[in-house]
Amino acid sequence: MDSSNILCAVKDSSSVVEWTQTPKERAKYLTEHQNSYEAEWDMVNAVSYRKKQFTNGGSQSPLNSKWSFLFSLTDLKSIKQNKEGMGWSYFVFCLKDDVVLPALHFHQGGSNLLLECLEKYVMLCESDQDCRILLVNCQNKSVSQSFENLLEEPAYNLLQKIKKDPYTATMASFSKVTNYFFDTLRGSDSVTQRRPPQEMADFLGDAIQDLKINQQEELGFEVITRIDIGTRPEVHRREPVSTSEWEASMDGEGRLQNVDHIKGIIFKGGLCHALRKEVWKFLLGYFPWDSTREERSLLQKRKTDEYFRMKLQWKSVSEEQEQRNSRLRDYRSLIEKDVNRTDRTNKFYEGPDNPGLNLLHDILMTYCMYDFDLGYVQGMSDLLSPILYVMENEVDAFWCFVSYMDQMHQNFEEQMQGMKMQLVQLSTLLRLLDSGFCSYLESQDSGYLYFCFRWLLIRFKREFSFHDTLRLWEVIWTGLPCQNFHLLICCAILESEKQEIMEQHYGFNEILKHINELSMKLDVNDVLSKAEAISLQMIKCKDLPPTVCDILGLQINGAVTQYEVTSAKKHLKPSPQHVPVPASAANGTRSRAVLHNLSTHSHTQTSA
């Protein structure tokens, strides 16, 4: 793309988006913007493109016709449409000052598409007096405005805040956007937009199937009967797995004897650091659990050759070639920028000309060759850093990173479907655990849980200390005690903060600030204990909604894994035929056979 064709959105004194910069001013703005933008997360992209020029030099404009008209959606009062089945479709727009615009006729269809588009920006509801008239409730800014306009502060100030504290600034930006979306969905008039009890019951029923709702109204409140998920058991963590325990689990050929048991004790206590370099290769799927020592040695040799062939691909690109490959050039630029600020306080990466930084750079560039469609996205260096720290080997770190990215891939895709799905799933779990807390968050415009975005994107990498993150990740990688255990970790953290949030009557900004300030203050063992207790509580529940079973990968099954047998003896004593348990494969690895709707929505899980 020619940068002279990019227009940057700016806001004038009347809060209207303008595109009036000259090419020279545009180029200067873009250069300054690119040089100053040092944010950890590149989530905001407020650019558009110039209209194509006609051959006669005129600009292609929707207002060239004498029949065209232009109005702001904030001025729209109602839309009158034709009676169904009576001739061509048409719309008549009536503005708030009672100006009636010329009718728009749709001779070739498309009226429904226009309505769908309008409903992204305004709320439309059918008039009680005339079903042909759609009433408009619009007091929100157009979603097509840039994020800069929604933030209501100059771009320069925002960039300075991002440079000083990127995470807080980024999440604060999200808060303003969340406010906008909440207002759009809710409407401005709390009285006229209040949902009837039946509609609200249907909405909650869709969100959590089998949620029992009593629609009897008492003093203006809806009475919701929450599912009783039983008593939460007390759990205790054990010491990390020792070298002697690991060696005792192998036979003479180096093959692991009892994979389920090994995973169980890793889940309960993590690993001593001396074991991580070897065991992480199993947990991440680089080494098969049933492989022998000789088979693993041959695998490493083969993977080493494969890695350096891919590395040679980008190493052999000349500067002249790279000038003709904008994507590779952009990947390299972004990687160099991120690597230079990744975990620089860690001794492994601190100081100038650090060899660890060179390895981070080379592995990430080689990953672009491995998956050129995804390439590099900000945040991926945070996932690689602990892996390289543990492996201390370029090739092993690369293939372990590849396996981890197989699990995290959807978090970094352009549409971020994985992130959206996880936020929905987290909301479902939290509502089951504590509907009152969920209702409070919704009342404070925080029901979307966007403040958990960073937790999910890089798996709590910035919430715990570096070494606690190593412990947390290896526990999650066991796949125990259920699918999406990281969502229960989110629930555990939120439950711990519930009392302060509600007692102090925190509003949207206070909640966001409080969650951001938890960084580096969380105790990993306390959080894991609470999350495990929540999982056992849900596994024991006989009336667990199917939606929750889908999220956690539970099914009604007579067979239980070694982990569930041990936990049942200590805490639950359930009836096996009624207890939802994780679907697991016979060899102890996690099964992909989850319910069909998870196969299309949940993020990819790598089988060991």
Side-chain angles (χ1 to χ4, degrees), residues 16-57:
V16 176
V17 177
E18 289 186 330
W19 310 96
T20 57
Q21 293 174 294
T22 64
K24 182 178 180 180
E25 289 171 331
R26 279 198 297 271
K28 180 180 178 183
Y29 176 88
L30 285 170
T31 302
E32 292 176 351
H33 178 75
Q34 291 164 356
N35 291 340
S36 66
Y37 190 68
E38 298 294 334
E40 293 285 342
W41 312 116
D42 192 8
M43 296 175 182
V44 180
N45 186 7
V47 298
S48 182
Y49 303 94
R50 296 178 63 186
K51 300 179 180 67
K52 293 181 179 178
Q53 301 293 313
F54 286 121
T55 54
N56 63 5

Side-chain angles (χ1 to χ4, degrees), residues 222-276:
E222 298 172 45
V223 181
I224 300 178
T225 306
R226 188 168 66 86
I227 294 174
D228 182 10
I229 58 175
T231 305
R232 186 172 299 175
E234 183 180 352
V235 300
H236 301 282
R237 308 231 3 117
R238 55 156 280 165
E239 292 296 314
V241 177
S242 65
T243 305
S244 58
E245 285 179 293
W246 175 256
E247 292 174 349
S249 67
M250 288 188 172
D251 62 14
E253 295 183 322
R255 185 184 286 109
L256 287 166
Q257 296 297 295
N258 191 335
V259 175
D260 286 337
H261 172 70
I262 287 295
K263 286 185 177 182
I265 59 178
I266 294 173
F267 173 78
K268 293 293 290 184
L271 297 160
C272 68
H273 190 69
L275 280 177
R276 285 185 172 129

Side-chain angles (χ1 to χ4, degrees), residues 103-121:
L104 287 181
H105 292 268
F106 296 83
H107 295 180
Q108 298 178 353
S111 59
N112 289 334
L113 291 176
L114 178 57
L115 275 184
E116 290 176 8
C117 183
L118 285 172
E119 286 175 337
K120 295 178 182 178
Y121 311 112

